[in-house]
């Protein structure tokens, strides 16, 4: 049994067969899935899926790549979505300096304002940080994080960075890259993270774990991430399973 703490079943990659994908996950012991929004439409779709399926919860947010669409209307709309039942977090939000479709200033504004919304609604945040480690850390360190905390999703940084985020009270989540053959450095970082702060996820349809790279990812493949995490931490799989489920439930209050 696992929880996929970060999926995009709201992506059009699943438009034609999402019932089968969800059934396959449940049949393979995935007891809960979070469907994470990345703009207003995908956030609404996440809520619709959460209404349709008892084992699905939704999160709502505007991704840094779409930060240029963030304005007062978007903020009002997102605030409305936050009040919906089964919405458990604000995300994914953050900074992405790999793709600069939205400028750094636009990204920073959308990130800060959504952190503020999360605080007002006492929700944890799901943080996307790609090639923006220093600025992400600075924003979160300057007292911007609410008491509900949050998670660094698909963590890709160094040991020092992980330790900084842990000190801020954040959880750290790993996805398919942990299983990639060339990911020795990432695995050595994961080995050091305390079990009570770890989450697992797929970020599907992206980042399919080894040995299925190249195919569409699905929530059931979170098991491969969890098993790899147990291996790098030299712990029984059952212990990692129980801990990541407990951590996910506690963080998102599900
Ligand atoms: Ni994602």
């Amino acid at each position: 049994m696992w929880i996929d703490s970060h999926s995009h079943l709201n992506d059009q990659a699943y438009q034609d067969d999402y019932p089968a994908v969800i059934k396959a996950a449940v049949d393979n012991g995935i007891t809960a899935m979070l469907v994470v929004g990345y703009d207003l439409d995908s956030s609404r779709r996440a809520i619709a899926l959460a209404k349709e399926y008892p084992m699905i919860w939704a999160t709502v947010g505007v991704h840094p790549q779409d930060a240029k669409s963030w304005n007062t209307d978007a903020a009002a709309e997102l605030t409305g979505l936050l009040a919906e039942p089964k919405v458990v977090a604000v995300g994914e939000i953050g900074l992405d300096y790999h793709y600069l479709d939205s400028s750094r200033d636009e990204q920073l504004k959308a990130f800060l304002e959504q952190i503020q919304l999360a605080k007002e609604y006492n929700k944890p945040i799901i943080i996307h940080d790609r090639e923006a480690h220093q600025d992400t850390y600075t924003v979160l360190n300057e007292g911007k994080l609410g008491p509900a905390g949050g998670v660094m999703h698909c963590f890709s940084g160094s040991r020092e960075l992980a330790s900084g985020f842990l000190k801020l009270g954040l959880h750290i989540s790993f996805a398919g890259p942990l299983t990639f053959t060339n990911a020795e450095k990432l695995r050595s970082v994961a080995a050091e993270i305390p079990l009570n702060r770890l989450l697992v996820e797929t970020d599907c349809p992206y980042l399919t774990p080894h040995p299925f790279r190249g195919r569409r990812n699905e929530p059931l493949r979170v098991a491969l991430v969890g098993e790899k995490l147990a291996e790098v931490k030299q712990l029984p799989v059952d212990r990692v399973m129980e801990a990541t489920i407990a951590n996910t439930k506690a963080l998102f209050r599900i």
Side-chain angles (χ1 to χ4, degrees):
M1 299 197 310
W2 299 97
I3 294 180
D4 185 356
S5 70
H6 189 120
S7 80
H8 297 293
L9 290 167
N10 46 355
D11 189 278
Q12 41 177 338
Y14 305 106
Q15 198 172 294
D16 298 329
D17 66 345
Y18 73 91
V21 172
I22 293 166
K23 184 177 186 304
V26 172
D27 289 350
N28 281 275
I30 310 306
T31 56
M33 290 158 256
L34 266 68
V35 178
V36 174
Y38 42 90
D39 58 17
L40 290 173
D41 277 349
S42 61
S43 297
R44 283 188 213 100
R45 177 75 188 131
I47 293 169
L49 285 166
K51 281 182 179 157
E52 191 178 345
Y53 290 93
M55 77 297 282
I56 288 180
W57 278 264
T59 81
V60 299
V62 173
H63 189 282
Q65 270 180 262
D66 210 38
K68 59 179 179 297
S69 74
W70 182 255
N71 55 30
T72 50
D73 288 348
E77 178 85 18
L78 196 76
T79 305
L81 297 181
L82 267 172
E84 295 268 348
K86 293 189 86 181
V87 172
V88 295
V90 174
E92 56 185 289
I93 60 174
L95 301 172
D96 190 325
Y97 295 167
H98 184 77
Y99 297 109
L100 286 166
D101 307 340
S102 298
S103 71
R104 292 181 186 214
D105 284 350
E106 287 168 329
Q107 292 189 28
L108 209 53
K109 183 171 190 289
F111 189 25
L112 287 167
E113 291 187 15
Q114 290 181 94
I115 292 172
Q116 191 54 41
L117 266 179
K119 271 198 223 176
E120 282 167 28
Y121 283 79
N122 195 28
K123 303 276 190 203
I125 55 177
I126 297 176
I127 302 150
H128 172 104
D129 158 22
R130 184 166 184 196
E131 297 173 24
H133 298 324
Q134 194 51 54
D135 285 3
T136 303
Y137 179 77
T138 302
V139 166
L140 295 167
N141 185 40
E142 286 173 358
K144 304 297 194 308
L145 187 67
V151 57
M152 295 305 301
H153 126 76
C154 192
F155 186 72
S156 62
S158 65
R159 181 173 306 195
E160 294 70 31
L161 193 70
S163 121
F165 286 130
L166 287 167
K167 282 194 192 114
L168 296 181
L170 287 158
H171 288 68
I172 306 273
S173 180
F174 289 97
L178 193 71
T179 70
F180 294 175
T181 45
N182 62 354
E184 283 310 327
K185 187 158 171 266
L186 187 62
R187 284 190 279 275
S188 73
V189 174
E192 304 279 314
I193 299 184
L195 190 57
N196 66 355
R197 304 290 280 282
L198 281 165
L199 267 53
V200 287
E201 61 169 290
T202 59
D203 201 22
C204 67
Y206 315 107
L207 303 175
T208 310
H210 175 79
F212 299 102
R213 290 183 77 177
R215 296 197 216 168
R216 183 184 67 171
N217 200 3
E218 296 185 14
L220 66 85
R221 304 230 187 274
V222 74
L224 294 167
V225 179
E227 285 158 15
K228 182 57 77 176
L229 193 57
E231 185 189 314
V232 302
K233 292 194 70 67
Q234 298 179 291
L235 289 170
V237 173
D238 279 3
R239 251 192 96 196
V240 172
M241 201 180 268
E242 282 162 18
T244 56
I245 287 177
N247 299 342
T248 307
K249 286 185 170 175
L251 178 62
F252 296 108
R253 290 169 275 174
I254 59 176

